[in-house]
Amino acid sequence: MKRISIYLLPALLVLSLFATGCLSNKTSNPVPYPIGTFEGQFRLLHKKLNETKIDTLKKANIQLVLETGGAYKVLGDTATVHAGSKGQYGINATYMAFNDETYPKTGTPVKIHLYGNYFYNYDGSTNLVILVNQGDTLNYRYDLKRVN
């Protein structure tokens, strides 16, 4: 009988750990997607160059309705800061993409629209945070809670 070299033992240990990890057949839970009516604040956050303080330039209380079929609408305080909007949205585990039907085809809109690709974080039941970076110093943040 030949002896196994002591140098092969770490490799055999790693190989056995990988092999036992593949034996179990666990399924992961699907990511819960936000559906329903959410209310909360929209904030326009601005960070000045060479400063650490972040200013909340504008804010508005809004309501976001996300429907099962992929339609959405923004309601609430849409008079000055944030535009009321509606359209279709798509979602995956990290991003939400909004296609606002009310977004102007030409020119720059006066108010902010929920339009484009956004990062989001949803706790699965109540809290929804939607965030987009507009360059290095400007962020749009939606802090919303599910109400229905």
Side-chain angles (χ1 to χ4, degrees), residues 34-38 64-74 85-91 96-99 101 114:
I35 299 291
T37 303
F38 296 84
L64 174 63
V65 180
L66 298 171
E67 298 175 0
T68 307
Y72 81 95
K73 56 187 166 186
V74 176
S85 57
K86 63 180 180 174
Q88 296 294 314
Y89 75 96
I91 190 168
M96 297 178 85
F98 296 93
N99 185 18
E101 295 170 2
L114 186 56

Side-chain angles (χ1 to χ4, degrees), residues 6 9 12 25 29 36-37 41 43 52 54-55 60 62 67 69 71 73 76 86 92 96 101 110 112 130 140 145:
I6 194 158
L9 287 177
L12 289 174
N25 188 11
N29 294 332
T37 303
Q41 275 200 338
R43 291 188 195 109
T52 56
I54 297 174
D55 296 326
I62 64 162
E67 298 175 0
K73 56 187 166 186
K86 63 180 180 174
N92 66 22
M96 297 178 85
E101 295 170 2
V110 176
I112 296 163
I130 303 172
Y140 298 161
K145 293 195 181 287

Side-chain angles (χ1 to χ4, degrees), residues 7 13 22 31 65 67 75 96 117 134 136:
Y7 298 109
L13 179 63
C22 295
V31 175
V65 180
E67 298 175 0
L75 308 165
M96 297 178 85
N117 297 321
Q134 298 288 340
D136 292 340

Side-chain angles (χ1 to χ4, degrees), residues 14-90:
V14 169
L15 182 63
S16 67
L17 287 174
F18 282 131
T20 57
C22 295
L23 293 177
S24 65
N25 188 11
K26 296 180 183 176
T27 58
S28 61
N29 294 332
V31 175
Y33 292 135
I35 299 291
T37 303
F38 296 84
E39 290 181 350
Q41 275 200 338
F42 162 77
R43 291 188 195 109
L44 190 146
L45 305 171
H46 182 259
K47 181 182 169 292
K48 294 180 182 174
L49 293 175
N50 301 324
E51 289 188 19
T52 56
K53 183 181 175 190
I54 297 174
D55 296 326
T56 303
L57 293 178
K58 299 178 181 178
K59 56 185 170 183
N61 293 320
I62 64 162
Q63 183 181 69
L64 174 63
V65 180
L66 298 171
E67 298 175 0
T68 307
Y72 81 95
K73 56 187 166 186
V74 176
L75 308 165
D77 183 11
T78 58
T80 57
V81 177
H82 201 289
S85 57
K86 63 180 180 174
Q88 296 294 314
Y89 75 96

Side-chain angles (χ1 to χ4, degrees), residues 97-114:
F98 296 93
N99 185 18
D100 186 359
E101 295 170 2
T102 66
Y103 194 84
K105 304 292 185 221
T106 60
T108 304
V110 176
K111 295 187 264 182
I112 296 163
H113 288 252
L114 186 56

